[in-house]
């Protein structure tokens, strides 16, 4: 976390209030001091004793508790970041109206630190004009109002309005604390992102692949979705990652499948980010039976390999033919002479930019952090500072958006 030591977790009165317990624990596991401020209705779902046990701090709901400490002033002044999860439709309306009739709303009025609101409600309530108006008002005031997830709601209903996964809320809150509010800069845009590694089958048991986890691609998708974009993710082999709010996942295994998926989605895209680690080669023929490795067999030592298509270069060629008008950005994972190699790659691929990073000595692949440089076709080379992959995604998308304007 970026020098964050004190977090306020607000909880309003919705069924998803129980998930706030995981959010509190997520921050506490990182050594952060957490103060939980529930509304009175929130305590109908989760008791004060639970929040006190998890946070190690007292829990109050009104401004008349511990008056000598002037809590409604002090807590907001001292916090490094505030997150409210869940934020119900009623709570959003109260905050948009500038209410200060309990400890949580008073704390928000006092706060000068970043504030993150994580909505949770039924789809119809989320889509209601009144709620959307309140969300717009809050965003215009500098609050980060997260896009809710799509999924199972209370009862049998499903749709937009589900609270994001607690781990996503923790990470997005950390990102806002480090990089600033998330704004709707990609509203109405379609963003196409590839993520993860491809796997080329040798036989029913083995494959050629790489160490890519898909974390950076999914981080880009997360930030793009929270900035209001319609996001398509073409995902190869990935770790167990939470799906970004509203994103559509297109699962593939091989480079040929990824190439087909990317080319089919490219014509509708405004921005394309090729973050996947694509296998350069594949076996000419995948064996139908397991290849043998005993002393008398040469099946594994004589695998005939052929080149996979260069997906990024192919997308650049599509644009030259007028088949897509998207801004196109790729990734370059290098182990040495990073910038020199990336300059040649950028020129060869014919795209708008490259994020280049060093993957030597186990860096980047599967890790929580990243860093590197962004090179664009005009010759600019800009450092991407070390940070979590969500923070890197923020910096990278800032640069991509500047190219797209």
């Amino acid at each position: 976390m970026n020098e964050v030591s004190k977090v306020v977790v607000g909880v309003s009165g919705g069924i998803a209030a129980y998930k706030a317990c995981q959010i509190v624990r997520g921050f506490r596991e990182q050594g952060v001091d957490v103060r939980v401020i529930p509304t009175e209705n929130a305590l109908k779902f989760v008791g004060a004793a639970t929040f006190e046990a998890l946070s190690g701090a007292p829990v109050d709901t009104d401004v008349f508790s511990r008056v000598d400490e002037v809590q409604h002033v002090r807590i907001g002044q001292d916090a490094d970041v505030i997150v409210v999860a869940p934020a119900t439709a009623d709570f959003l309306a109260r905050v948009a109206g500038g209410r200060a009739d309990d400890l949580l709303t008073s704390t928000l009025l006092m706060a000068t630190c970043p504030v993150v609101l994580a909505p949770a409600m039924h789809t119809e309530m989320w889509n209601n004009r009144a709620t959307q108006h309140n969300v717009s008002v809050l965003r215009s005031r500098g609050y980060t109002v997260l896009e809710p997830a799509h999924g199972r709601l209370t009862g049998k209903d499903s749709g937009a309005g589900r609270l994001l996964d607690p781990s996503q809320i923790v990470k997005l809150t950390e990102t806002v604390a480090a990089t600033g509010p998330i704004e709707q800069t990609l509203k109405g845009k379609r963003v196409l992102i590839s993520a993860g590694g491809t796997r080329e089958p040798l036989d029913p048991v083995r494959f050629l692949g790489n160490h890519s986890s898909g974390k950076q691609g999914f981080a880009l998708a997360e930030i793009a979705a929270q900035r209001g974009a319609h996001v398509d993710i073409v995902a190869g082999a990935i770790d167990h990652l939470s799906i970004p709010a509203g994103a559509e996942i297109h699962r593939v295994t091989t480079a040929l499948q990824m190439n087909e998926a990317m080319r089919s989605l490219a014509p509708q895209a405004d921005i394309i980010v090729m973050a996947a680690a694509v296998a350069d080669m594949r076996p000419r023929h995948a064996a139908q039976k397991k290849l043998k490795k005993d002393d008398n067999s040469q099946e594994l030592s004589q695998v005939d390999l052929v080149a996979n298509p260069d997906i990024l270069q192919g997308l650049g060629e599509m644009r030259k033919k007028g088949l897509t008008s998207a801004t196109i950005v790729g990734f370059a994972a290098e182990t040495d002479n990073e910038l020199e190699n990336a300059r040649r790659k950028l020129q060869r691929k014919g795209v708008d930019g490259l994020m280049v990073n060093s993957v030597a000595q186990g860096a980047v692949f599967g890790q929580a952090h990243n860093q590197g440089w962004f090179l664009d076709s005009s010759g600019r080379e800009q450092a991407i500072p070390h940070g979590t992959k969500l923070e890197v995604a923020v910096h990278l998308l800032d640069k991509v958006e500047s190219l797209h304007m």
Side-chain angles (χ1 to χ4, degrees), residues 138-328:
L138 291 166
R139 285 172 172 163
S140 72
R141 295 175 184 165
Y143 290 93
T144 295
V145 183
L146 299 176
E147 292 292 320
H150 292 232
R152 183 71 179 270
L153 305 170
T154 305
K156 298 180 180 179
D157 296 336
S158 293
R162 180 182 174 89
L163 186 70
L164 288 172
D165 184 86
S167 64
Q168 287 177 284
I169 294 172
V170 170
K171 292 174 183 176
L172 286 166
T173 301
E174 293 172 353
T175 303
V176 169
T179 62
I182 299 175
E183 300 178 352
Q184 297 287 287
T185 53
L186 289 172
K187 193 74 173 178
K189 299 292 184 180
R190 294 186 70 100
V191 177
L192 172 59
I193 297 172
S194 68
T198 63
R199 293 180 173 181
E200 312 299 329
L202 285 164
D203 60 22
V205 178
R206 306 177 181 90
F207 61 85
L208 298 178
N210 54 61
H211 296 295
S212 176
S213 65
K215 289 180 179 178
Q216 187 63 75
F218 268 64
L220 286 161
E222 186 82 73
I223 297 301
Q226 290 298 335
R227 289 184 177 186
H230 174 99
V231 178
D232 287 289
I233 308 173
V234 177
I238 57 173
D239 284 351
H240 298 291
L241 303 173
S242 298
I243 297 174
E248 292 189 38
I249 307 295
H250 309 265
R251 297 192 180 276
V252 298
T253 300
T254 68
L256 291 177
Q257 292 169 349
M258 182 170 284
N259 186 50
E260 181 180 357
M262 294 296 291
R263 293 179 72 86
S264 69
L265 293 166
Q268 294 79 41
D270 296 294
I271 294 172
I272 299 173
V273 182
M274 191 71 198
V278 182
D280 296 312
M281 310 292 288
R282 70 180 186 277
R284 186 181 298 275
H285 302 290
Q288 298 302 306
K289 296 181 180 180
K290 180 181 176 182
L291 299 175
K292 302 301 181 184
K293 62 176 182 179
D294 54 54
D295 294 339
N296 297 322
S297 174
Q298 294 183 329
E299 290 178 326
L300 278 174
S301 62
Q302 296 181 352
V303 176
D304 187 13
L305 299 177
V306 295
N308 274 322
D310 189 321
I311 302 176
L312 182 61
Q313 187 168 321
L315 292 169
E317 292 169 355
M318 281 184 68
R319 189 172 60 182
K320 288 181 181 178
K321 296 176 181 177
L323 300 176
T324 180
S325 59
T327 299
I328 304 173

Side-chain angles (χ1 to χ4, degrees), residues 20 61 63-64 99 132 135 137 139 189 234 254 261 321 372:
T61 62
V63 297
F64 298 105
R99 298 286 294 273
Q132 288 302 306
V135 168
V137 168
R139 285 172 172 163
K189 299 292 184 180
V234 177
T254 68
K321 296 176 181 177

